[in-house]
PDB file of all heavy atoms in Angstrom:
ATOM      1  N   GLY A 440     118.246 112.364 107.678  1.00  0.00           N
ATOM      2  CA  GLY A 440     118.729 111.461 108.723  1.00  0.00           C
ATOM      3  C   GLY A 440     117.781 111.384 109.901  1.00  0.00           C
ATOM      4  O   GLY A 440     117.531 110.300 110.446  1.00  0.00           O
ATOM      5  N   SER A 441     117.219 112.521 110.305  1.00  0.00           N
ATOM      6  CA  SER A 441     116.260 112.515 111.415  1.00  0.00           C
ATOM      7  C   SER A 441     114.985 111.771 111.031  1.00  0.00           C
ATOM      8  O   SER A 441     114.433 111.009 111.841  1.00  0.00           O
ATOM      9  CB  SER A 441     115.934 113.953 111.811  1.00  0.00           C
ATOM     10  OG  SER A 441     114.951 113.977 112.820  1.00  0.00           O
ATOM     11  N   LEU A 442     114.518 111.975 109.811  1.00  0.00           N
ATOM     12  CA  LEU A 442     113.308 111.284 109.361  1.00  0.00           C
ATOM     13  C   LEU A 442     113.523 109.774 109.303  1.00  0.00           C
ATOM     14  O   LEU A 442     112.633 108.995 109.661  1.00  0.00           O
ATOM     15  CB  LEU A 442     112.897 111.810 107.992  1.00  0.00           C
ATOM     16  CG  LEU A 442     112.320 113.232 107.962  1.00  0.00           C
ATOM     17  CD1 LEU A 442     112.251 113.765 106.544  1.00  0.00           C
ATOM     18  CD2 LEU A 442     110.946 113.269 108.606  1.00  0.00           C
ATOM     19  N   ILE A 443     114.689 109.354 108.860  1.00  0.00           N
ATOM     20  CA  ILE A 443     114.996 107.918 108.816  1.00  0.00           C
ATOM     21  C   ILE A 443     115.004 107.343 110.229  1.00  0.00           C
ATOM     22  O   ILE A 443     114.449 106.265 110.491  1.00  0.00           O
ATOM     23  CB  ILE A 443     116.333 107.682 108.103  1.00  0.00           C
ATOM     24  CG1 ILE A 443     116.215 108.041 106.616  1.00  0.00           C
ATOM     25  CG2 ILE A 443     116.789 106.235 108.251  1.00  0.00           C
ATOM     26  CD1 ILE A 443     117.533 108.002 105.873  1.00  0.00           C
ATOM     27  N   HIS A 444     115.635 108.057 111.152  1.00  0.00           N
ATOM     28  CA  HIS A 444     115.689 107.592 112.546  1.00  0.00           C
ATOM     29  C   HIS A 444     114.285 107.499 113.137  1.00  0.00           C
ATOM     30  O   HIS A 444     113.951 106.510 113.805  1.00  0.00           O
ATOM     31  CB  HIS A 444     116.548 108.565 113.359  1.00  0.00           C
ATOM     32  CG  HIS A 444     116.779 108.134 114.769  1.00  0.00           C
ATOM     33  ND1 HIS A 444     117.857 107.360 115.153  1.00  0.00           N
ATOM     34  CD2 HIS A 444     116.050 108.339 115.901  1.00  0.00           C
ATOM     35  CE1 HIS A 444     117.786 107.127 116.454  1.00  0.00           C
ATOM     36  NE2 HIS A 444     116.709 107.708 116.930  1.00  0.00           N
ATOM     37  N   TYR A 445     113.465 108.519 112.897  1.00  0.00           N
ATOM     38  CA  TYR A 445     112.105 108.537 113.433  1.00  0.00           C
ATOM     39  C   TYR A 445     111.261 107.413 112.826  1.00  0.00           C
ATOM     40  O   TYR A 445     110.486 106.743 113.534  1.00  0.00           O
ATOM     41  CB  TYR A 445     111.470 109.895 113.142  1.00  0.00           C
ATOM     42  CG  TYR A 445     110.145 110.133 113.824  1.00  0.00           C
ATOM     43  CD1 TYR A 445     110.084 110.674 115.098  1.00  0.00           C
ATOM     44  CD2 TYR A 445     108.949 109.814 113.186  1.00  0.00           C
ATOM     45  CE1 TYR A 445     108.861 110.907 115.726  1.00  0.00           C
ATOM     46  CE2 TYR A 445     107.728 110.033 113.812  1.00  0.00           C
ATOM     47  CZ  TYR A 445     107.688 110.569 115.078  1.00  0.00           C
ATOM     48  OH  TYR A 445     106.488 110.782 115.701  1.00  0.00           O
ATOM     49  N   THR A 446     111.421 107.197 111.523  1.00  0.00           N
ATOM     50  CA  THR A 446     110.625 106.167 110.848  1.00  0.00           C
ATOM     51  C   THR A 446     110.997 104.778 111.339  1.00  0.00           C
ATOM     52  O   THR A 446     110.115 103.938 111.585  1.00  0.00           O
ATOM     53  CB  THR A 446     110.840 106.259 109.328  1.00  0.00           C
ATOM     54  OG1 THR A 446     110.576 107.596 108.895  1.00  0.00           O
ATOM     55  CG2 THR A 446     109.930 105.300 108.595  1.00  0.00           C
ATOM     56  N   LYS A 447     112.268 104.500 111.472  1.00  0.00           N
ATOM     57  CA  LYS A 447     112.695 103.188 111.943  1.00  0.00           C
ATOM     58  C   LYS A 447     112.206 102.918 113.362  1.00  0.00           C
ATOM     59  O   LYS A 447     111.995 101.760 113.740  1.00  0.00           O
ATOM     60  CB  LYS A 447     114.221 103.086 111.884  1.00  0.00           C
ATOM     61  CG  LYS A 447     114.785 103.004 110.480  1.00  0.00           C
ATOM     62  CD  LYS A 447     116.288 102.885 110.501  1.00  0.00           C
ATOM     63  CE  LYS A 447     116.851 102.739 109.084  1.00  0.00           C
ATOM     64  NZ  LYS A 447     118.337 102.656 109.089  1.00  0.00           N
ATOM     65  N   LYS A 448     112.014 103.965 114.128  1.00  0.00           N
ATOM     66  CA  LYS A 448     111.588 103.788 115.511  1.00  0.00           C
ATOM     67  C   LYS A 448     110.080 103.582 115.632  1.00  0.00           C
ATOM     68  O   LYS A 448     109.619 102.839 116.508  1.00  0.00           O
ATOM     69  CB  LYS A 448     112.008 105.014 116.334  1.00  0.00           C
ATOM     70  CG  LYS A 448     111.704 104.910 117.817  1.00  0.00           C
ATOM     71  CD  LYS A 448     112.348 106.046 118.575  1.00  0.00           C
ATOM     72  CE  LYS A 448     112.123 105.891 120.075  1.00  0.00           C
ATOM     73  NZ  LYS A 448     112.809 106.952 120.847  1.00  0.00           N
ATOM     74  N   HIS A 449     109.302 104.193 114.738  1.00  0.00           N
ATOM     75  CA  HIS A 449     107.847 104.193 114.906  1.00  0.00           C
ATOM     76  C   HIS A 449     107.102 103.402 113.846  1.00  0.00           C
ATOM     77  O   HIS A 449     105.940 103.060 114.075  1.00  0.00           O
ATOM     78  CB  HIS A 449     107.328 105.631 114.917  1.00  0.00           C
ATOM     79  CG  HIS A 449     107.798 106.440 116.078  1.00  0.00           C
ATOM     80  ND1 HIS A 449     107.257 106.330 117.338  1.00  0.00           N
ATOM     81  CD2 HIS A 449     108.785 107.379 116.181  1.00  0.00           C
ATOM     82  CE1 HIS A 449     107.872 107.160 118.167  1.00  0.00           C
ATOM     83  NE2 HIS A 449     108.797 107.810 117.491  1.00  0.00           N
ATOM     84  N   LEU A 450     107.711 103.137 112.703  1.00  0.00           N
ATOM     85  CA  LEU A 450     107.031 102.367 111.667  1.00  0.00           C
ATOM     86  C   LEU A 450     107.370 100.894 111.865  1.00  0.00           C
ATOM     87  O   LEU A 450     108.467 100.445 111.539  1.00  0.00           O
ATOM     88  CB  LEU A 450     107.440 102.846 110.273  1.00  0.00           C
ATOM     89  CG  LEU A 450     106.567 102.399 109.104  1.00  0.00           C
ATOM     90  CD1 LEU A 450     105.129 102.855 109.290  1.00  0.00           C
ATOM     91  CD2 LEU A 450     107.117 102.921 107.789  1.00  0.00           C
ATOM     92  N   CYS A 451     106.443 100.148 112.417  1.00  0.00           N
ATOM     93  CA  CYS A 451     106.725  98.784 112.873  1.00  0.00           C
ATOM     94  C   CYS A 451     107.152  97.869 111.737  1.00  0.00           C
ATOM     95  O   CYS A 451     108.101  97.099 111.884  1.00  0.00           O
ATOM     96  CB  CYS A 451     105.500  98.205 113.576  1.00  0.00           C
ATOM     97  SG  CYS A 451     105.017  99.114 115.066  1.00  0.00           S
ATOM     98  N   LEU A 452     106.477  97.913 110.600  1.00  0.00           N
ATOM     99  CA  LEU A 452     106.818  97.025 109.486  1.00  0.00           C
ATOM    100  C   LEU A 452     108.232  97.268 108.999  1.00  0.00           C
ATOM    101  O   LEU A 452     108.968  96.342 108.673  1.00  0.00           O
ATOM    102  CB  LEU A 452     105.828  97.223 108.342  1.00  0.00           C
ATOM    103  CG  LEU A 452     104.428  96.639 108.548  1.00  0.00           C
ATOM    104  CD1 LEU A 452     103.520  97.011 107.395  1.00  0.00           C
ATOM    105  CD2 LEU A 452     104.502  95.118 108.679  1.00  0.00           C
ATOM    106  N   LEU A 453     108.638  98.525 108.995  1.00  0.00           N
ATOM    107  CA  LEU A 453     109.988  98.853 108.548  1.00  0.00           C
ATOM    108  C   LEU A 453     111.006  98.338 109.544  1.00  0.00           C
ATOM    109  O   LEU A 453     112.054  97.807 109.176  1.00  0.00           O
ATOM    110  CB  LEU A 453     110.123 100.363 108.383  1.00  0.00           C
ATOM    111  CG  LEU A 453     111.272 100.839 107.510  1.00  0.00           C
ATOM    112  CD1 LEU A 453     110.988 100.547 106.047  1.00  0.00           C
ATOM    113  CD2 LEU A 453     111.480 102.340 107.687  1.00  0.00           C
ATOM    114  N   GLY A 454     110.698  98.457 110.850  1.00  0.00           N
ATOM    115  CA  GLY A 454     111.612  97.965 111.871  1.00  0.00           C
ATOM    116  C   GLY A 454     111.741  96.459 111.856  1.00  0.00           C
ATOM    117  O   GLY A 454     112.818  95.907 112.033  1.00  0.00           O
TER     118      GLY A 454
END
Side-chain angles (χ1 to χ4, degrees):
S441 176
L442 288 167
I443 292 173
H444 185 91
Y445 189 88
T446 306
K447 289 181 177 179
K448 184 171 184 177
H449 295 282
L450 195 59
C451 298
L452 286 175
L453 199 72

